[in-house]
Amino acid sequence: MAKAASLAARVEELRRLLDDANYRYYVLDDPTLADAEYDTLLRELEALERDHPEFADPQSPTMRVGTAPSGKFAEVKHSVPMLSLANAFEGEEVAEFVARITKETGDDTPDFSVEPKLDGLAISLRYEDGVFVRGATRGDGATGEDVTANLRTVRSVPLRLRGVAPKVIEVRGEVYMPKAAFEKYNEWARENGEKTLANPRNGAAGSLRQLDPRMTAQRPLAFYAYALGEVEGAALPATHSRTLQWLRELGLPVSAEVDVATGSEGLLAYYRRIGEKRNALPYDIDGVVYKLDRYDQQRAMGFVSRAPRWAIAHKYPAQEMPTVVESIEVNVGRTGAVTPWVLMTPVQVGGVTVTRATLHNADQIARLDVRAGDTVIVRRAGDVIPEVVRVVEDKRPLDAKGHPKFPAYVLPTQCPVCGSAVEREENEVVARCTGGLFCPAQRVQALFHFASRRAMDIEGLGERFITALVEFDMVHSVADLYRLTVEDFVSMKQRADELADAVPETVRSGKVATKWAENLVAAIDASRTTTLERVLYALGIRDVGESTARTLARHFGALDPILTADEETLRQVPDIGPVVAARIAHFFAEAHNRDVIAALRANGVHWPEGAPQRAADGPLAGQTVVLTGGLSSMSRDEAGAKLEALGAKVSGSVSKKTSFVVAGEAAGSKLAKAQELGIEVWDEARLAAFLAEQGG
């Protein structure tokens, strides 16, 4: 009995902690639990409920994963109709709206509750005695669809209200898909050959109306409350703005942008303020909403048709517009990715004139079947590059026989910048130029990576300087960095300042400060003395990170054996599989890459070489180690390198395959997981003693 009581108490404690975490995250925007801690508590609760079915509760935080498909949605009659809003597009319409209210209420300075108009799906949540019992879509305003099971998967929808809740309360609000979640989902969809979502609104609506709630659970949805329907057993505040505060106290998320404004000037000032930050908001909006704040004045104004006379939506310019594709081009990115894009008839989208839009990749072109001459819908949200959402097939140009006038687009097989082959590997979404260090389009990123701290560590040579060096045709490969002089850098900066119309007084007077240039040349010169693993990493071979570069350097001991190694030889290196082996072999087989390496050597870049160091026989051979927290006697990178030299594989995550974890100061979730799995944990003193024994 005592054990059962203890388990029951733990279950309730976990539910309380998770509910509180959801409240702080979604309502207060003040999270106190890290994601890893939240996940650990949730897993513990799931395990307890699985092992002890008697603790099952439909309101538990674990019930958000979705249940089996329902087959179809039942109808829900709204006890209080869910009304639509009249729209305003110009300031004059807002002024007329306020003037009408002033005249009919006799209030010369009426207050309005103001809020962003989220671009999502309107829903109603019904709570009885504080417990969520039903959720429905707006439908036609009188009748909606029962999507309760799906809404249970939305973490920001509380399953139980906080504090003293009314006997019945229906909360109206918007389910939406955050911008970042929308972009992340579409990126995943493109990489996995799945259909992308057209925009966040369609993503929210489609996700919430999935017949299988488990599908909804996989979609990143959120919710904001903005109004009430039926309420029983509670006296409402006198104003809408106070009601929103009350909803927040009950545990329902309310937008942080809600406010109170007075008169038409106050409304227009709010419209401009939200418009200025629209692109930075984490969710899409298509306008702002003004609601007369006092409920007695709302009642006096009444309704017309199916819209209240005391509220209006002030819309922003559309972020989706039709236009015509003039041509399809490709861009070669800094990593060699070949990205198709369209040149379009100029169109205003979201208040900005756009002439180009991305098509992401060849798969996206195939799914859309976009062709030159097509009328397409273009979307622009925030600072996101405009993208083609869909083709308006009814407007496609046809020939006399009714066939498409323009052929389907095919990605080029040669890089338009350097002429190298464009290849798309099996199971890869992105096609890439194989030019590597030779391709000018990839030069800036190649140089930036080469100079970075973990590569050649050229202090002070940042992307701004590198971009200017490439733009002024002063470097063509990483090897050219070692031919630069102080005069070259000073000349580069003068040319850049002149183009920016910002020539410093010191330059105009002939007194040029050169200390910064001298420091850069000194940093480049210092990097000539390096290590083989740094050079291998700095070359930017695809999928060759620091760990793989270190493994290659130790396995071969020198660069020349790597240059001549075939795929089969490379596959014998620990932790190098067939894909990475093929990429390494291909990189060194390219004549222009070998030329760059020869130029580096000719320009004085050198490193010690010696006999191969095989770690397979080391004391930690076959063991996987995880480092977490801060170490005082060495950096984590240094500790990792020493452990790898003794044969260990250093991993970034804890699993059942982990041999032991080294936990330093402020170790967090990785230490907790190791303890949960019963994995051996070393402190820094034990690590130092072990390394000392091994001569490290």
Side-chain angles (χ1 to χ4, degrees):
M1 288 293 289
K3 183 179 180 182
S6 175
L7 287 174
R10 179 57 178 165
V11 166
E12 288 306 311
E13 181 187 22
L14 288 169
R15 289 172 180 167
R16 179 184 59 77
L17 289 170
L18 291 166
D19 282 338
D20 187 64
N22 283 333
Y23 173 66
R24 291 180 176 279
Y25 185 92
Y26 294 109
V27 180
L28 301 183
D29 194 23
D30 182 26
T32 54
L33 279 185
D35 289 349
E37 294 176 280
Y38 182 96
D39 291 341
T40 298
L41 294 175
L42 187 62
R43 282 196 300 270
E44 182 184 349
L45 180 57
E46 286 172 340
L48 285 172
E49 291 179 346
R50 182 179 61 249
D51 296 341
H52 301 277
E54 65 272 20
F55 295 142
D57 184 340
Q59 311 312 323
S60 172
T62 61
M63 294 294 103
R64 296 186 183 275
V65 295
T67 55
S70 64
K72 63 179 181 178
F73 299 111
E75 287 189 350
V76 174
K77 296 285 186 183
H78 299 302
S79 55
V80 175
M82 294 184 70
L83 302 174
S84 56
L85 293 174
N87 292 324
F89 296 92
E90 303 294 338
E92 291 81 358
E93 296 172 274
V94 175
E96 290 170 5
F97 164 72
V98 174
R100 185 169 61 249
I101 287 175
T102 297
K103 180 180 178 181
E104 296 191 27
T105 63
D107 186 347
D108 292 334
T109 55
D111 286 336
F112 295 87
S113 178
V114 292
E115 63 198 52
K117 185 178 182 298
L118 275 75
D119 201 7
L121 184 70
I123 57 142
S124 175
L125 308 176
R126 183 180 177 89
Y127 292 85
E128 295 178 0
D129 296 321
V131 175
F132 176 53
V133 295
R134 190 179 67 207
T137 61
R138 177 184 177 276
D140 62 5
T143 304
E145 294 176 316
D146 189 330
V147 288
T148 306
N150 291 352
L151 284 167
R152 285 182 178 277
T153 71
V154 181
R155 284 193 174 185
S156 50
V157 171
L159 300 179
R160 189 186 301 274
L161 299 179
R162 302 171 69 86
V164 180
K167 180 177 177 58
V168 174
I169 181 172
E170 281 192 24
V171 180
R172 272 71 193 275
E174 200 89 357
V175 165
Y176 65 95
M177 186 174 285
K179 290 178 183 176
F182 167 76
E183 295 297 336
K184 187 174 181 180
Y185 181 87
N186 270 357
E187 183 180 351
W188 171 86
R190 285 189 288 268
E191 290 176 354
N192 290 275
E194 299 288 337
K195 184 178 180 180
T196 56
L197 302 173
N199 53 50
R201 186 194 182 285
N202 288 358
S207 300
L208 197 61
R209 298 189 72 255
Q210 291 287 323
L211 293 177
D212 186 349
R214 290 170 296 191
M215 293 294 292
T216 306
Q218 295 172 12
R219 304 284 181 89
L221 301 178
F223 168 75
Y224 272 140
Y226 56 62
L228 288 176
E230 179 185 4
V231 179
E232 182 183 336
L236 292 181
T239 64
H240 183 73
S241 56
R242 290 179 187 171
T243 296
L244 293 179
Q245 180 58 40
W246 177 52
L247 290 178
R248 191 191 294 269
E249 291 165 2
L250 289 174
L252 290 146
V254 175
S255 171
E257 303 301 330
V258 299
D259 205 345
V260 175
T262 303
S264 59
E265 284 306 312
L267 298 185
L268 294 176
Y270 180 78
Y271 177 84
R272 290 190 294 269
R273 173 160 65 88
I274 297 299
E276 288 171 1
K277 63 194 303 186
R278 180 185 185 187
N279 294 344
L281 293 174
Y283 43 77
D284 261 3
I285 62 173
D286 58 0
V288 293
V289 176
Y290 311 137
K291 299 174 184 174
L292 195 54
D293 199 28
R294 283 170 46 184
Y295 285 139
D296 62 331
Q297 292 182 336
Q298 287 186 11
R299 289 189 289 272
M301 290 297 299
F303 302 85
V304 56
S305 184
R306 300 173 69 178
R309 298 179 68 240
W310 41 264
I312 197 168
H314 191 178
K315 305 293 283 291
Y316 289 115
Q319 290 190 302
E320 286 189 0
M321 291 293 290
T323 187
V324 175
V325 175
E326 296 181 357
S327 64
I328 301 177
E329 313 290 342
V330 295
N331 176 64
V332 182
R334 294 176 175 179
T335 60
V338 177
T339 305
W341 57 276
V342 295
L343 180 65
M344 311 170 300
T345 302
V347 61
Q348 282 266 331
V349 186
V352 175
T353 300
V354 298
T355 57
R356 297 169 50 135
T358 183
L359 288 166
H360 296 293
N361 53 53
D363 285 350
Q364 183 76 343
I365 291 180
R367 279 193 291 272
L368 293 170
D369 187 26
V370 61
R371 309 179 186 204
D374 274 341
T375 296
V376 294
I377 302 300
V378 179
R379 172 180 172 77
R380 177 184 177 274
D383 295 325
V384 178
I385 298 170
E387 65 176 341
V388 175
V389 175
R390 63 184 180 277
V391 173
V392 183
E393 292 191 15
D394 291 347
K395 295 187 177 182
R396 170 167 286 169
L398 303 177
D399 61 21
K401 296 181 179 180
H403 299 140
K405 215 170 190 180
F406 300 96
Y409 179 79
V410 178
L411 209 64
T413 56
Q414 286 188 308
C415 174
V417 180
C418 72
S420 299
V422 171
E423 295 180 356
R424 177 178 171 182
E425 297 181 9
E426 190 177 354
N427 298 322
E428 285 276 327
V429 173
V430 177
R432 296 179 188 274
C433 164
T434 59
L437 299 178
F438 172 73
C439 181
Q442 301 176 58
R443 197 171 296 157
V444 170
Q445 183 60 28
L447 288 162
F448 182 62
H449 173 76
F450 184 85
S452 63
R453 184 175 65 84
R454 294 179 179 275
M456 301 301 284
D457 193 20
I458 304 177
E459 187 176 355
L461 189 60
E463 193 163 2
R464 181 168 61 91
F465 282 146
I466 288 170
T467 301
L469 289 169
V470 172
E471 286 179 350
F472 297 135
D473 206 31
M474 298 175 74
V475 294
H476 296 89
S477 78
V478 295
D480 291 341
L481 292 173
Y482 294 94
R483 294 189 289 99
L484 293 172
T485 64
V486 171
E487 291 72 24
D488 288 331
F489 278 112
V490 172
S491 170
M492 173 205 73
K493 191 170 188 306
Q494 286 178 337
R495 291 167 69 184
D497 286 341
E498 287 166 5
L499 285 176
D501 196 26
V503 183
E505 178 62 33
T506 52
V507 174
R508 289 197 294 268
S509 66
K511 298 175 182 177
V512 180
T514 62
K515 184 64 178 174
W516 63 272
E518 293 166 5
N519 290 340
L520 272 175
V521 171
I524 292 171
D525 189 55
S527 73
R528 293 178 203 269
T529 302
T530 185
T531 64
L532 177 56
E533 63 190 60
R534 277 185 177 271
V535 170
L536 290 170
Y537 175 61
L539 289 173
I541 306 166
R542 192 167 167 219
D543 286 344
V544 174
E546 292 175 85
S547 178
T548 302
R550 191 179 303 122
T551 299
L552 284 168
R554 288 175 180 161
H555 185 87
F556 289 98
L559 180 58
D560 288 340
I562 305 175
L563 290 175
T564 57
D566 58 19
E567 288 184 38
E568 187 58 37
T569 302
L570 289 164
R571 287 178 65 175
Q572 306 309 310
V573 180
D575 297 324
I576 291 184
V579 173
V580 178
R583 286 174 179 160
I584 296 169
H586 178 80
F587 181 90
F588 289 117
E590 291 279 0
H592 45 256
N593 291 337
R594 297 170 74 97
D595 289 344
V596 169
I597 292 167
L600 285 171
R601 283 171 155 167
N603 288 337
V605 178
H606 62 281
W607 53 87
E609 294 188 338
Q613 300 175 30
R614 304 286 195 256
D617 299 324
L620 296 179
Q623 297 194 45
T624 300
V625 182
V626 173
L627 295 156
T628 182
L631 303 175
S632 58
S633 60
M634 68 190 88
S635 70
R636 289 216 327 233
D637 286 345
E638 291 172 319
K642 290 180 178 182
L643 289 167
E644 286 178 337
L646 297 173
K649 176 182 178 180
V650 176
S651 173
S653 59
V654 177
S655 70
K656 292 180 179 178
K657 295 181 179 179
T658 304
S659 304
F660 63 90
V661 170
V662 178
E665 256 185 72
S669 58
K670 292 178 185 177
L671 173 59
K673 188 169 183 181
Q675 292 168 334
E676 179 187 332
L677 295 174
I679 293 169
E680 184 178 4
V681 177
W682 291 15
D683 60 14
E684 184 174 356
R686 182 172 177 184
L687 173 66
F690 173 78
L691 293 176
E693 288 174 9
Q694 305 302 320

